[in-house]
Amino acid sequence: MRCLIFSANRLFGECLCAGLCAQEAVEFAKTCVTAQEISAAVEQHRITSVLVDMSDPDACLVIRPLRAAQPGLCILALSVDDQVADEVVGCAKIGCHGVVPRDASLKTVVDVIAAAERGEIAMRPNVVAGIMRALAEPRKTPVVAATECLTRREREICTLVAEGLTNKEIAREVNRSVGTVKNHVSSILTKLHVPRRGAIHAHLSQ
């Protein structure tokens, strides 16, 4: 397997990369700290799997275009609490093929990657059970109701964030400064009680 790790946390990315390189099953591993590096790295190094740090605010913006441009590539989520079913389901909805548990050993990381590259999912039984329960529950709140706490402008920006637009793209769309958009996004996260912008799409899809 040939892996690419995307994380703005350089220390985290480099440590994981070093650990993966020491695993027999891993032929190649490299880190990227910006979204702009990913496409070129995937092509240049014949990457088979990309591990995306979901604690990065740009994670959602990376996954959607990458999935569209590289449909055969395995995309795995890092820094996700796999005991929270909604987080796992949210990762699946934005295009991830699997989730690496926060408490995973290097061997487990390799096992998860290998399973994803075979078209399978490596998950603990209790995690699968939690996902099944979450999917079986009826939607508690319609999407419209989920954004009632937002202003008209915030609802507009929330929709654009969920579609995967960057703050710069949103600023052009709504004719506002990037700083103003950042403030709106921060307010949206607070009002919707979601931890990061990548979780907005999952929240609206519940």
Side-chain angles (χ1 to χ4, degrees):
M1 59 186 68
R2 301 178 65 83
C3 307
L4 184 67
I5 302 158
F6 169 73
S7 177
N9 184 334
R10 190 181 295 273
L11 178 61
F12 170 73
E14 290 182 356
C15 287
L16 178 56
C17 182
L20 288 176
C21 286
Q23 303 301 303
E24 186 177 350
V26 179
E27 181 183 348
F28 175 86
K30 177 180 171 60
T31 60
C32 283
V33 296
T34 66
Q36 290 73 25
E37 298 176 66
I38 294 179
S39 295
V42 167
E43 296 290 344
Q44 181 181 352
H45 300 290
R46 297 177 289 111
I47 298 299
T48 56
S49 292
V50 177
L51 287 73
V52 180
D53 182 359
M54 298 304 290
S55 67
D56 192 297
D58 289 334
C60 185
L61 306 180
V62 165
I63 293 170
R64 289 183 179 282
L66 187 60
R67 181 73 183 266
Q70 303 280 349
L73 191 67
C74 287
I75 303 174
L76 299 158
L78 296 169
S79 306
V80 175
D81 186 351
D82 67 340
Q83 300 298 317
V84 180
D86 284 345
E87 285 204 24
V88 180
V89 172
C91 289
K93 286 182 176 178
I94 62 173
C96 293
H97 297 87
V99 171
V100 177
R102 284 181 178 170
D103 60 352
S105 64
L106 283 170
K107 180 183 181 304
T108 299
V109 176
V110 172
D111 289 345
V112 171
I113 298 171
E117 292 192 358
R118 293 194 303 267
E120 303 170 2
I121 295 178
M123 257 177 211
R124 294 176 282 208
N126 64 312
V127 175
V128 176
I131 294 170
M132 295 298 289
R133 286 193 298 270
L135 292 174
E137 290 177 0
R139 286 193 298 176
K140 298 176 182 177
T141 310
V143 171
V144 174
T147 60
E148 282 182 351
C149 60
L150 305 181
T151 65
R152 180 189 61 79
R153 177 67 73 185
E154 287 171 345
R155 283 197 294 271
E156 181 182 11
I157 291 174
C158 184
T159 299
L160 296 173
V161 170
E163 290 176 359
L165 273 67
T166 65
N167 285 345
K168 188 174 181 180
E169 290 170 332
I170 294 172
R172 287 198 299 266
E173 187 76 18
V174 301
N175 195 27
R176 292 291 185 274
S177 71
V178 174
T180 297
V181 171
K182 286 182 179 178
N183 290 337
H184 280 307
V185 171
S186 178
S187 176
I188 290 166
L189 295 177
T190 300
K191 290 182 178 180
L192 296 184
H193 304 290
V194 293
R196 51 186 176 269
R197 68 186 291 147
I200 289 177
H201 181 272
H203 179 83
L204 298 183
S205 301
Q206 291 177 2

